[in-house]
Amino acid sequence: MNISILGTGFMGKKHKAVLEQIPNIQINAEIDSHAESHSKTHFHSLEHFLEEKLHTDLVVVATPNHLHFQHAKTLLENGYNVLIEKPFVFNMEQASALREAAHQNNSHVFLVMQNRFSPVTLLLSEIVDSKKLGKIYNIQLNAFWNRGEQYYIKDSWKGKKNMDGGILYTQFSHLLDLLCYVFKDDFTVLFKDLTSFRNFNISEIEDTALLVLQGKTGTKVSVNFTTSVFEKNQETSLNIIAEKGTLKISGQYFNEITFQHIADCPDKFEITSTSNEQNLKEMYLEIFKSLRGEKNNAILLKDGLDLVDLLEKIYS
């Protein structure tokens, strides 16, 4: 199977490293304006790549955030299947445009949401889907991270309001996706405060988001995300307070159950530890099954619309 990578920066390199671990996968093109050479496999622009009309089964879109939508749309209009890094779009209008382009050209849109394949997400999904917790009263989602001058490099697109999108589109989109994917609720925004405490001199976007959400089921959600922590990440944690139990997941890698008391459940759940790269590999294996027409759990554009809708509500 032939794969092309559009954008060979930090994320493009990460995708390449994972793809090189998968048998029978060939990276037949790398597309980037900073490409060291121009050859049959290296292209300085998307236009040059399209002119060559290479046969490729999937193009990975790993360019800067603000380019994801237009690059994906152009590729779809030229008949290519695409896999889009986060954030795949900034609003529902862009999502609709991609859906229409895919439909018109018989192409597929896949999304990079590899954390859906993590043991934490799989465990939470099983607990919630099986109704072991009963009615969920309250969810608290915290992430206290550090992003500073080493991240918001001068003259980079990162931290630029119209190019970056904001911390909920970048650093914390996986956690909001976990909220949408696991709990399958339609959340409205009761309160929001987007503030910059530490990074206002180096970034145009917020470094702290405080949110209160409510689901149609009545579940209340409090969200406290920040990238203003001093020097290094502090924690990521999730608390669930429900009719039939209480659960807290935390730890440096968000893979430790630090409190558990659930009716008719084992005294302790075990969460195996996997790396981001392992989750990415699992994501790719499901995409390749989809492209071969086999039964699969690939994440399609429609699977990310709840997240897009929530982000648009928050930032509107």
Side-chain angles (χ1 to χ4, degrees):
M1 195 167 286
N2 291 320
I3 311 297
S4 302
I5 300 176
L6 174 58
T8 58
F10 177 78
M11 291 310 303
K13 288 182 173 66
K14 181 174 286 190
H15 282 273
K16 182 180 179 181
V18 170
L19 287 164
E20 288 176 339
Q21 300 173 23
I22 303 175
N24 303 316
I25 297 301
Q26 178 181 350
I27 299 172
N28 69 338
E30 295 180 49
I31 313 153
D32 197 295
S33 59
H34 297 100
E36 295 180 1
S37 64
H38 183 75
S39 65
K40 290 183 178 180
T41 57
H42 290 80
F43 299 88
H44 289 292
S45 71
L46 178 57
E47 290 72 24
H48 289 153
F49 169 78
L50 295 173
E51 287 170 3
E52 290 295 320
K53 300 186 184 302
L54 280 185
H55 169 71
T56 190
D57 298 285
L58 181 72
V59 181
V60 181
V61 178
T63 46
N65 292 3
H66 64 292
L67 299 175
H68 290 179
F69 166 68
Q70 191 55 57
H71 282 164
K73 185 169 180 287
T74 298
L75 286 161
L76 291 167
E77 290 170 345
N78 281 270
Y80 290 99
N81 301 313
V82 297
L83 168 64
I84 315 174
E85 254 295 347
K86 62 177 176 63
F88 40 97
V89 292
F90 283 148
N91 52 56
M92 292 296 284
E93 182 180 356
Q94 291 181 346
S96 296
L98 291 188
R99 183 169 51 191
E100 180 62 22
H103 176 73
Q104 291 292 333
N105 296 280
N106 196 29
S107 299
H108 300 286
V109 181
F110 301 100
L111 307 179
V112 177
M113 290 177 165
Q114 72 273 17
N115 283 19
R116 289 194 182 188
F117 298 99
S118 72
V120 169
T121 303
L122 296 175
L123 173 66
L124 283 170
S125 295
E126 192 278 326
I127 292 172
V128 173
D129 290 347
S130 63
K131 309 296 184 184
K132 290 176 181 176
L133 288 165
K135 181 176 175 58
I136 296 173
Y137 300 145
N138 189 293
I139 300 168
Q140 298 171 354
L141 194 53
N142 303 309
F144 306 144
W145 297 358
N146 168 266
R147 295 291 186 275
E149 292 183 4
Q150 79 285 1
Y151 181 82
Y152 294 112
I153 303 169
K154 187 178 179 181
D155 298 327
S156 166
W157 59 269
K158 293 180 179 179
K160 300 296 188 294
K161 189 173 182 64
N162 294 327
M163 296 182 180
D164 186 303
I167 60 172
L168 303 182
Y169 281 106
T170 51
Q171 281 82 15
F172 301 120
S173 64
H174 286 306
L175 293 172
L176 289 178
D177 179 60
L178 181 147
L179 184 68
C180 295
Y181 175 65
V182 170
F183 298 97
K184 298 177 178 64
D185 209 337
D186 181 14
F187 295 103
T188 57
V189 182
L190 300 182
F191 171 82
K192 62 180 179 179
D193 185 87
L194 306 176
T195 305
S196 188
F197 288 111
R198 185 183 293 275
N199 292 329
F200 56 87
N201 287 325
I202 56 176
S203 169
E204 297 174 2
I205 63 172
E206 73 283 348
D207 63 26
T208 299
L210 302 176
L211 310 169
V212 178
L213 313 175
Q214 179 171 300
K216 282 190 173 180
T217 60
T219 300
K220 291 286 199 305
V221 183
S222 60
V223 174
N224 189 346
F225 292 158
T226 186
T227 59
S228 66
V229 174
F230 179 62
E231 288 191 347
K232 62 181 181 179
N233 293 353
Q234 179 185 342
E235 72 167 70
T236 304
S237 63
L238 171 71
N239 285 281
I240 304 172
I241 299 169
E243 177 186 12
K244 297 180 181 179
T246 309
L247 182 68
K248 180 177 182 179
I249 297 176
S250 57
Q252 185 178 0
Y253 301 104
F254 192 51
N255 63 351
E256 298 174 15
I257 296 176
T258 47
F259 187 90
Q260 175 189 334
H261 181 60
I262 302 173
D264 302 320
C265 280
D267 291 337
K268 186 174 178 59
F269 292 117
E270 294 293 338
I271 301 179
T272 57
S273 182
T274 60
S275 67
N276 185 56
E277 288 73 20
Q278 288 172 299
N279 297 335
L280 265 176
K281 184 177 180 181
E282 185 62 34
M283 178 199 75
Y284 269 113
L285 294 176
E286 295 301 319
I287 290 172
F288 298 150
K289 289 178 187 176
S290 175
L291 293 174
R292 292 193 297 264
E294 300 171 6
K295 186 177 180 181
N296 66 87
N297 292 309
I299 302 167
L300 305 174
L301 178 61
K302 64 181 178 64
D303 301 313
L305 294 182
D306 287 343
L307 174 62
V308 177
D309 181 56
L310 178 58
L311 288 169
E312 190 171 18
K313 289 174 185 174
I314 294 169
Y315 279 104
S316 63

